[in-house]
Amino acid sequence: MSLSIDKCKAVVFTRKRIIPDANIMYNGQRITLENKAKFLGVVLDSRLNGASHVLHVSKKCESGINILRALSGVWWGAHPYSQKLLYNAIIRSHMDYGLFVLDPINKLATEKLNKIQYRCLRIILGAMKSSPTNALQVECVDPPVQIRSQYLCDRFICKVLQLSSHPLFDSLRRLSSVVKTNQDLPFLLNSFRKFTSLPHPIQSSPMISLFSTPFKSLTYKPSIVNLNIHNDTIEANQRFNEIIHSNWPEYLTIYTEPQNYLCLVALA
């Protein structure tokens, strides 16, 4: 696969006001130096404060807010439940994507995301501008942006820890040993320390459990046998136990949700 130099961008991540000039060459061609770059839908700026990504997200959310506003109305508008589903699909999905990776982000950027949420919740509920924001969040069952970002990060880290060969596991462990415990932690480190300090740690494996299972067991089709026993008869239970013990004495019996189904599993 050849590399297209015209589509490549180089970003210097630094906290300095003056970004140093970096001369990066590839096959005799110079890669353009930019102050931000978009990677997998996340805008990474040179300071990694999340301001550029939030600006990108806010522009994408404007069209969704206009759709919500067009569907809102006191007498003829859509139901708040339907509008909440629409908000989750076309607005909050953009706000949630990759946000916890950039934490800690700029306070002004966080406030911009909060304002987008408040605008949407007021449109959904038909509330006035003077309505308390915490009441809007409770009424719509929509937590603040910071709390939801931490929740999404917890879900992500929980999946990462299940795979012991995940490359992020060692990086977070080294970073956690360097960062002090008495300072505010970013979402990733907070979730990592939370799940690694549990009294019963999460079980991990070098590969996904589905891939470690033999293919034959995944494609196995068990046989279904009809015992021809009617539940309304008096001797149904006795007859059922006799058939099970005589035909499958070494099997483990598992009763499923419907009462007329029984699963027999052979013990190794």
Side-chain angles (χ1 to χ4, degrees):
M1 184 175 61
S2 60
L3 185 64
S4 178
I5 304 301
D6 298 334
K7 298 180 181 179
C8 294
K9 294 181 181 179
V11 180
V12 178
F13 299 104
T14 179
R15 292 289 183 176
K16 298 180 179 180
R17 293 185 177 181
I18 301 177
I19 301 177
D21 188 16
N23 188 15
I24 303 176
M25 306 292 294
Y26 181 81
N27 288 340
Q29 293 180 296
R30 189 175 186 273
I31 298 179
T32 306
L33 185 64
E34 301 285 348
N35 58 356
K36 61 181 178 180
K38 186 178 180 181
F39 181 72
L40 297 178
V42 180
V43 180
L44 304 174
D45 56 282
S46 59
R47 293 182 177 273
L48 287 179
N49 57 10
S52 300
H53 178 71
V54 171
L55 181 62
H56 171 70
V57 170
S58 61
K59 291 180 179 179
K60 296 181 68 174
C61 292
E62 283 297 330
S63 59
I65 295 175
N66 293 333
I67 295 175
L68 277 182
R69 188 180 292 109
L71 295 176
S72 63
V74 178
W75 302 106
W76 55 268
H79 193 275
Y81 179 79
S82 301
Q83 286 191 310
K84 180 60 165 50
L85 294 178
L86 187 63
Y87 159 74
N88 294 342
I90 64 176
I91 298 176
R92 198 178 68 178
S93 58
H94 296 303
M95 299 170 58
D96 291 343
Y97 180 74
L99 185 62
F100 62 84
V101 178
L102 298 174
D103 186 72
I105 64 176
N106 189 284
K107 292 183 178 180
L108 295 178
T110 304
E111 187 62 26
K112 184 176 294 186
L113 291 177
N114 291 331
K115 290 181 179 180
I116 294 176
Q117 183 194 36
Y118 301 155
R119 288 175 59 190
C120 295
L121 297 185
R122 287 191 178 95
I123 294 174
I124 293 172
L125 297 176
M128 300 176 62
K129 292 184 178 180
S130 58
S131 302
T133 57
N134 54 357
L136 297 175
Q137 294 169 346
V138 172
E139 187 70 21
C140 289
V141 196
D142 198 63
V145 177
Q146 294 293 103
I147 297 179
R148 178 162 177 81
S149 298
Q150 184 65 71
Y151 163 72
L152 295 175
C153 187
D154 290 344
R155 292 181 55 185
F156 173 72
I157 293 298
C158 185
K159 292 182 180 180
V160 168
L161 295 180
Q162 295 177 14
L163 191 62
S164 59
S165 60
H166 199 284
L168 187 60
F169 181 76
D170 293 333
S171 300
L172 289 176
R173 185 170 52 188
R174 292 194 302 267
L175 186 60
S176 180
S177 61
V178 174
V179 178
K180 299 180 180 179
T181 57
N182 56 355
Q183 63 183 11
D184 295 335
L185 298 177
F187 293 145
L188 286 173
L189 282 184
N190 190 18
S191 299
F192 178 77
R193 290 184 176 180
K194 181 192 305 182
F195 286 102
T196 53
S197 60
L198 294 175
H200 302 285
I202 298 176
Q203 184 179 0
S204 61
S205 58
M207 65 176 62
I208 301 176
S209 301
L210 179 63
F211 298 146
S212 60
T213 305
F215 182 75
K216 185 178 180 180
S217 62
L218 297 176
T219 58
Y220 174 73
K221 295 182 179 180
S223 58
I224 300 176
V225 180
N226 187 2
L227 301 180
N228 295 321
I229 300 177
H230 299 283
N231 295 333
D232 53 353
T233 59
I234 301 176
E235 66 277 2
N237 291 335
Q238 181 179 359
R239 178 59 180 164
F240 173 77
N241 293 325
E242 290 176 355
I243 295 176
I244 295 299
H245 290 297
S246 61
N247 296 329
W248 303 282
E250 302 296 332
Y251 280 63
L252 175 65
T253 57
I254 299 177
Y255 296 90
T256 59
E257 185 76 17
Q259 296 181 358
N260 56 345
Y261 286 98
L262 173 68
C263 179
L264 298 174
V265 180
L267 298 177

